[in-house]
Amino acid sequence: MFSSPFITQPNSVSQIMLRVLLALIPGIALYVWYFGPAILVSITLASITALATEAAMLKLRKRPIKPFISDNTALLTAWLLALSIPPLAPWWLIVVGTAFAIAVSKHLYGGLGSNPFNPAMIGYAVLIISFPVHMTHWLTPHAMSGVELSFIEQLNYIFNGVLPNHLTLDAITMATALDTMKTQLHLGLSVTDIRDMPIYGHLAGKGSEIVAIGFAIGGLYLILTRIITWHLPVAYLAALFATAGIFHLVDPQHYVTPLFHWFSGAAMIGAFFILTDPVTSPTTVKGKFIFAIGAGVLTYLIRAFGGFPDGMAFATLLMNICVPLIDAYTQPKVFGKKGAGK
Amino acid sequence: MRTLFSFHGGVHPATHKAESTRTPITRAAIPSKLVIPLWQHVGNRSVPIVQVGDHVLKGQKIGRPEGKLSSAVHASTSGTVSAIDMQLVAHHSGLPDLCVTLIPDGKDEWVTHAGVDIAHTAPAELRHLLRKAGVVGLGGAVFPSDLKTDAHHHQMRTLVINGAECEPYITCDDMLMRERALDILHGAELLRELLQAEEVLIGIEDNKPEAIAAMQLAVTQAGYRKMEVLSVPTVYPSGGAKQLIRILTGIEVAAGVRSTEKGVQCFNVATAYSAWRALAHGEPLLSRIITVTGNVSHAQNFEVLIGTPLNELVALAGSQPDTTRHIMGGPMMGVDLPSGTVSVTKATNCIIASSPKLFPPPAPALPCIRCVRCADVCPADLQPQDLYWFAKSNNFGKAQEFNLADCIECGACAYVCPSNIPLVQYYRYAKSEIHARSVEKLAADKARERHDYRQFRIEREKTEKAQRLAQKERDAAAAKASFDANLAATENAQQQTINEAIERAKAQAVGTHALNTEALTPEQLAKIAAVDARRAKLHELAANAGADDEPPKS
């Protein structure tokens, strides 16, 4: 004998996460188009590691493996982490990061639904702190590198660390658009001079700006299909835009345009795919605004004044800490008690 | 055009209403037996006033209301009382309750009955008649209607008549409105008069155009000018009393607040109909419209005598062999009935024959991922994900703080939950625990009060005893002291006397030296001298005769 309701909407955690994975595909496709198929290798490596770690942790925690491994959340963590680190990194980098994300930041905190921090961002934070050099070797888009590694050559570097004889790592990798901007500003160049450098396109970094658009398209799909609500991405992007805009208006030669910030680094994928992780974001509408605005401002401050080129991951993690507090203080008034002043 | 309001959230489950609205309401045949529960309403169980073996007429009262919050129960047809005992009843508790079993005689012979002149009858008398006729809320809450028609001196603005019928599958109100609109309106007008409300708003979901048309036509025909039929958007749970009041008037009635305090009251269309039949025709609540649907061959609405066994009713709609259970009410808030043999009550608006194919068992629950789809659809603006967490961790204080009491258990949260968590079950559990604890606390408070009083009494007695004892001791001490003092005084006095006597004696003695040796006559002196001389001679003789040990002879 079970009790009402006897009917349920046909949806599940697994389907929701699958939709989110699907929404990443436009961005990934553009990534492959501009930077070659190496990213697919890291995604595959990350996925295998995530599923294996998930299964092992479920077994250790004596939980049923099948319903949890098929919920697609581990895969999503894997994909987001793979997209956050340079694709042409040694294979163990993504494996270590993913394993840490799943084992420590997810399962040691109680598994699905109980992790206070975004696992993919924990994985990223661990890698950038432990292996900072490996995390700077971003691929140069083919449009400007002139040299291009074949898929086999990319695999050979990822697994064996061997490049073709005539190439050095510097020839095929570069710092990101944000990183270059930061370094060159430190060296005394103006924003206009830096933007003239060949790595920059119309909005931000050549290639990466288009990938960011791909993620934004996926994000819009998620909003339209009601997998996520608009509050977090809109508030985040607005806060990032406003903060960057104020600095840019005050001193355009030292502070780059807000649009540059939108389409560089992890801003777009973060706004639609990382902040919107339901487990680690607030539950109330007001709380979502506070959380996303905080993350937007922090992202800008870390990018402009912090020690890391991008601030998305740390902004997310810092705001993750505040979620219980935000939720507690933003409880909406319930039916019939809205008029009452409390 | 009146502006309608909306409530937060809501869901749109498939309605499945077409199946049971193809045929008009059919009067269900008199069953082989009627099992009439004596507790079909909110409040106290009514008390049986018939005996086993009694012959009763249709409409004859068989249970009288007990206490203020109670209602009467009647024989649904004429026949013989065959048992008054505990039977399984259609209630979510699944527990048996006291029922009157009636074997119909098939004559369906009415008790003498007649309506009253409503316009010329005092409101208090009309309320009493509603109570005597066993009229209770037929939307499912079965609250005695006589009590709900009392505005408690509040100025009533709006009477809401609920024809929304938002639950999937259920169509009994829809069909009643289509076929008996005028009687519903007469009832609504009657209730309005009792409440002295300014207007009547009849809310019907816009997926029932036939009912809306029928009701609007009837309003025009009857010429009720303070009455308006309003089509409301189809969204579950618009038929919840609080939600419909909100939609039609914009007023929100919080948990624990009487809607009359806000100048509004809400009745179901079937209740209005029954109230009219009871007062205008003298017909107690003996039957109601019930939708029989789900896994049956021809779903439809029946007018069913209260007490009709479920399986006999479902058979009329063509029960299917793979039916495994029966649900009373709709799929969102309905009750899984304990058995197919329970009988229908005043609360039974719908019977859904259910099979695993129709309502498959839920998938295993996953942990909550805080996606807040539940909060998005909650019509009470609650945070179901938090309430779930508190209920699960037995943190009932926090659950109350987060307004668990405002949950109307509509099931919208569980309906959308991607983790398949049976959320409503958790809330019911938490509510019953909170209730049990408050009852326990009340009992404990009483016990503590009693204990405290007892302690106080014991303490008081102890103090009193101690005081008495102390008094006694003090008294004793005082007595002893006075005794000692007396004694001392006596002794002193005695000593004094003695001393005085001694003194006296001494003083006397000074003046009285051996009176008999003074002033002796010469003869006496001579005698003494002679005696002394003899004694001296004897002492001398005794000293000399010491050697031969022979006492000297004198």
Side-chain angles (χ1 to χ4, degrees):
Chain A
M1 186 160 153
F2 62 94
S3 72
S4 59
F6 302 100
I7 49 175
T8 53
Q9 218 174 33
N11 67 352
S12 64
V13 175
S14 163
Q15 283 170 10
I16 291 173
M17 296 302 162
L18 186 66
R19 292 270 193 87
V20 181
L21 289 173
L22 284 177
L24 281 169
I25 285 177
I28 295 172
L30 290 167
Y31 206 124
V32 173
W33 179 261
Y34 282 96
F35 298 94
I39 186 66
L40 298 178
V41 178
S42 17
I43 288 178
T44 312
L45 274 175
S47 301
I48 293 166
T49 311
L51 291 177
T53 315
E54 178 100 342
M57 290 309 289
L58 287 168
K59 186 125 188 124
L60 279 175
R61 292 177 58 220
K62 298 184 174 67
R63 297 295 149 103
I65 292 179
K66 196 175 163 271
F68 284 101
I69 202 110
S70 57
D71 67 17
N72 292 331
T73 53
L75 276 183
L76 183 58
T77 300
W79 287 29
L80 291 174
L81 182 56
L83 290 167
S84 310
I85 68 172
L88 205 63
W91 64 271
W92 53 264
L93 193 74
I94 184 72
V95 169
V96 167
T98 313
F100 191 91
I102 300 289
V104 178
S105 77
K106 184 175 180 186
H107 281 285
L108 291 193
Y109 280 94
L112 178 66
S114 300
N115 48 303
F117 298 106
N118 188 309
M121 290 303 100
I122 288 282
Y124 173 85
V126 165
L127 293 181
I128 202 161
I129 291 167
S130 313
F131 311 104
V133 178
H134 292 103
M135 294 290 281
T136 55
H137 294 152
W138 290 89
L139 278 172
T140 313
H142 342 284
M144 49 172 293
S145 66
V147 282
E148 202 175 317
L149 287 186
S150 71
F151 186 49
I152 301 296
E153 286 167 335
Q154 285 185 335
L155 280 179
N156 204 15
Y157 180 76
I158 293 170
F159 287 101
N160 302 322
V162 179
L163 282 173
N165 284 332
H166 58 285
L167 283 180
T168 61
L169 196 57
D170 289 341
I172 49 163
T173 64
M174 58 172 206
T176 61
L178 277 171
D179 205 355
T180 310
M181 179 65 71
K182 189 166 206 160
T183 335
Q184 298 302 323
L185 281 171
H186 269 293
L187 294 175
L189 269 68
S190 74
V191 166
T192 328
D193 296 338
I194 303 169
R195 285 296 305 269
D196 285 340
M197 292 170 75
I199 66 161
Y200 292 103
H202 299 289
L203 296 162
K206 221 173 247 173
S208 60
E209 59 187 10
I210 309 296
V211 175
I213 292 173
F215 289 133
I217 290 169
L220 290 177
Y221 161 78
L222 290 183
I223 292 176
L224 291 177
T225 52
R226 299 181 180 222
I227 299 290
I228 60 172
T229 58
W230 59 270
H231 309 89
L232 286 170
V234 168
Y236 174 78
L237 291 174
L240 179 61
F241 193 94
T243 322
I246 292 167
F247 281 93
H248 178 68
L249 281 178
V250 172
D251 186 356
Q253 283 314 305
H254 277 96
Y255 300 101
V256 72
T257 62
L259 276 180
F260 179 89
H261 279 284
W262 267 16
F263 293 95
S264 317
M268 280 299 164
I269 194 174
F272 291 101
F273 294 90
I274 290 167
L275 284 179
T276 52
D277 168 24
V279 176
T280 57
S281 63
T283 51
T284 63
V285 171
K286 213 192 275 176
K288 283 180 178 175
F289 280 117
I290 295 172
F291 174 81
I293 291 169
V297 173
L298 280 174
T299 301
Y300 182 78
L301 294 180
I302 296 170
R303 281 179 178 185
F305 308 105
F308 294 98
D310 198 356
M312 177 67 211
F314 289 102
T316 307
L317 294 175
L318 285 172
M319 290 314 291
N320 284 161
I321 301 177
C322 310
V323 167
L325 198 66
I326 293 174
D327 276 344
Y329 281 95
T330 55
Q331 286 298 313
K333 292 223 165 71
V334 307
F335 188 88
K337 291 175 188 165
K338 283 166 203 151
K342 187 198 154 186
Chain B
M1 193 66 198
R2 183 179 285 271
T3 358
L4 293 180
F5 299 83
S6 64
F7 60 88
H8 176 262
V11 292
H12 297 91
T15 59
H16 291 284
K17 287 178 188 274
E19 292 95 314
S20 52
T21 49
R22 290 188 197 114
T23 39
I25 299 170
T26 309
R27 193 178 288 269
I30 298 172
S32 60
K33 67 166 183 180
L34 291 164
V35 182
I36 307 169
L38 286 161
W39 200 10
Q40 303 185 43
H41 44 262
V42 169
N44 302 323
R45 181 186 296 107
S46 48
V47 180
I49 51 170
V50 287
Q51 307 281 322
V52 173
D54 282 1
H55 184 264
V56 292
L57 294 175
K58 178 174 188 164
Q60 184 179 331
K61 199 196 285 176
I62 56 172
R64 70 168 162 78
E66 173 74 10
K68 186 165 189 246
L69 183 59
S70 186
S71 198
V73 175
H74 303 79
S76 315
T77 186
S78 56
T80 312
V81 175
S82 70
I84 302 173
D85 58 359
M86 303 297 271
Q87 301 265 351
L88 270 184
V89 293
H91 188 262
H92 59 79
S93 68
L95 297 173
D97 207 85
L98 195 61
C99 297
V100 173
T101 306
L102 189 64
I103 304 299
D105 58 13
K107 293 179 196 153
D108 209 25
E109 191 184 337
W110 266 98
V111 74
T112 327
H113 65 289
V116 293
D117 180 1
I118 293 166
H120 297 99
T121 310
E125 176 59 21
L126 291 176
R127 281 188 201 110
H128 184 63
L129 287 172
L130 284 177
R131 173 176 156 102
K132 264 174 66 181
V135 178
V136 296
L138 296 182
V142 287
F143 193 89
S145 299
D146 52 307
L147 297 175
K148 274 182 76 180
T149 53
D150 191 345
H152 301 280
H153 309 292
H154 294 290
Q155 179 59 47
M156 294 299 294
R157 203 168 68 82
T158 310
L159 167 63
V160 168
I161 296 293
N162 189 343
E165 201 166 52
C166 60
E167 268 252 23
Y169 289 91
I170 310 178
T171 57
C172 58
D173 291 345
D174 185 3
M175 295 310 288
L176 186 76
M177 288 188 286
R178 290 191 202 186
E179 299 185 15
R180 303 178 192 179
L182 262 178
D183 276 359
I184 296 172
L185 298 189
H186 294 325
E189 178 62 16
L190 159 77
L191 295 170
R192 189 193 66 73
E193 273 295 321
L194 279 175
L195 284 163
Q196 289 293 303
E198 292 165 24
E199 58 174 1
V200 179
L201 300 182
I202 303 168
I204 305 171
E205 270 192 353
D206 57 13
N207 62 358
K208 294 180 256 301
E210 296 91 345
I212 294 171
M215 293 288 277
Q216 274 168 343
L217 182 68
V219 170
T220 324
Q221 282 173 352
Y224 290 128
R225 274 191 292 280
K226 293 172 179 170
M227 215 174 260
E228 200 174 334
V229 177
L230 296 159
S231 158
V232 303
T234 299
V235 53
Y236 178 86
S238 68
K242 287 163 190 247
Q243 279 63 40
L244 190 63
I245 289 172
R246 161 82 193 156
I247 293 170
L248 297 180
T249 66
I251 294 168
E252 290 188 0
V253 183
V257 177
R258 273 203 198 123
S259 66
T260 45
E261 288 172 33
K262 303 244 177 185
V264 53
Q265 183 61 290
C266 180
F267 284 96
N268 178 266
V269 283
T271 315
Y273 172 80
S274 300
W276 174 251
R277 297 303 299 181
L279 297 189
H281 300 275
E283 295 171 8
L285 186 51
L286 305 181
S287 63
R288 63 160 299 153
I289 314 297
I290 298 176
T291 310
V292 183
T293 182
N295 193 35
V296 291
S297 58
H298 35 279
Q300 73 168 105
N301 283 276
F302 293 95
E303 179 157 18
V304 188
L305 296 179
I306 305 296
T308 301
L310 192 79
N311 38 22
E312 290 194 36
L313 173 62
V314 177
L316 296 176
S319 40
Q320 301 290 304
D322 61 335
T323 297
T324 47
R325 337 180 257 127
H326 294 95
I327 291 162
M328 179 172 96
M332 294 297 286
M333 290 183 78
V335 176
D336 192 2
L337 290 175
S339 145
T341 60
V342 296
S343 59
V344 306
T345 68
K346 295 174 184 177
T348 313
N349 50 5
C350 179
I351 298 290
I352 306 178
S354 164
S355 66
K357 210 176 119 216
L358 187 67
F359 298 140
L366 282 180
C368 169
I369 57 163
R370 292 163 40 95
C371 68
V372 293
R373 279 166 174 70
C374 50
D376 289 343
V377 299
C378 179
D381 304 81
L382 298 171
Q383 297 289 305
Q385 78 284 356
D386 289 332
L387 292 174
Y388 157 67
W389 185 254
F390 299 139
K392 198 180 173 189
S393 52
N394 287 356
N395 193 349
F396 301 123
K398 208 78 174 137
Q400 280 173 293
E401 203 183 300
F402 277 60
N403 302 297
L404 177 65
D406 284 272
C407 168
I408 58 166
E409 299 176 24
C410 68
C413 50
Y415 175 74
V416 297
C417 180
S419 290
N420 297 307
I421 302 169
L423 292 163
V424 185
Q425 252 171 290
Y426 280 96
Y427 308 145
R428 288 192 191 121
Y429 158 73
K431 281 179 177 178
S432 67
E433 280 297 302
I434 288 167
H435 178 72
R437 279 168 200 218
S438 74
V439 168
E440 246 170 55
K441 190 177 174 296
L442 226 67
D445 282 350
K446 234 177 212 160
R448 191 180 308 110
E449 221 168 78
R450 271 205 300 272
H451 175 75
D452 286 353
Y453 181 70
R454 182 167 172 269
Q455 286 302 103
F456 166 73
R457 188 164 48 83
I458 290 172
E459 203 60 37
R460 190 186 64 194
E461 278 169 7
K462 228 185 210 168
T463 322
E464 283 173 1
K465 205 170 169 185
Q467 275 171 353
R468 275 202 305 276
L469 203 69
Q471 187 61 44
K472 218 168 169 180
E473 269 171 10
R474 269 202 306 279
D475 287 353
K480 189 170 181 299
S482 71
F483 175 75
D484 285 353
N486 286 345
L487 193 67
T490 320
E491 275 173 0
N492 284 346
Q494 280 171 348
Q495 195 65 42
Q496 191 76 21
T497 321
I498 293 167
N499 288 349
E500 277 169 11
I502 291 170
E503 288 302 313
R504 267 199 315 276
K506 274 185 184 165
Q508 275 171 358
V510 172
T512 53
H513 291 295
L515 283 176
N516 58 336
T517 59
E518 285 170 18
L520 295 177
T521 58
E523 294 99 78
Q524 285 170 323
L525 286 170
K527 273 185 186 171
I528 294 165
V531 169
D532 287 344
R534 271 200 304 277
R535 280 181 186 159
K537 195 177 172 190
L538 282 171
H539 284 297
E540 195 184 332
L541 280 173
N544 292 337
D548 51 63
D549 283 333
E550 247 184 282
K553 295 188 180 150
S554 57

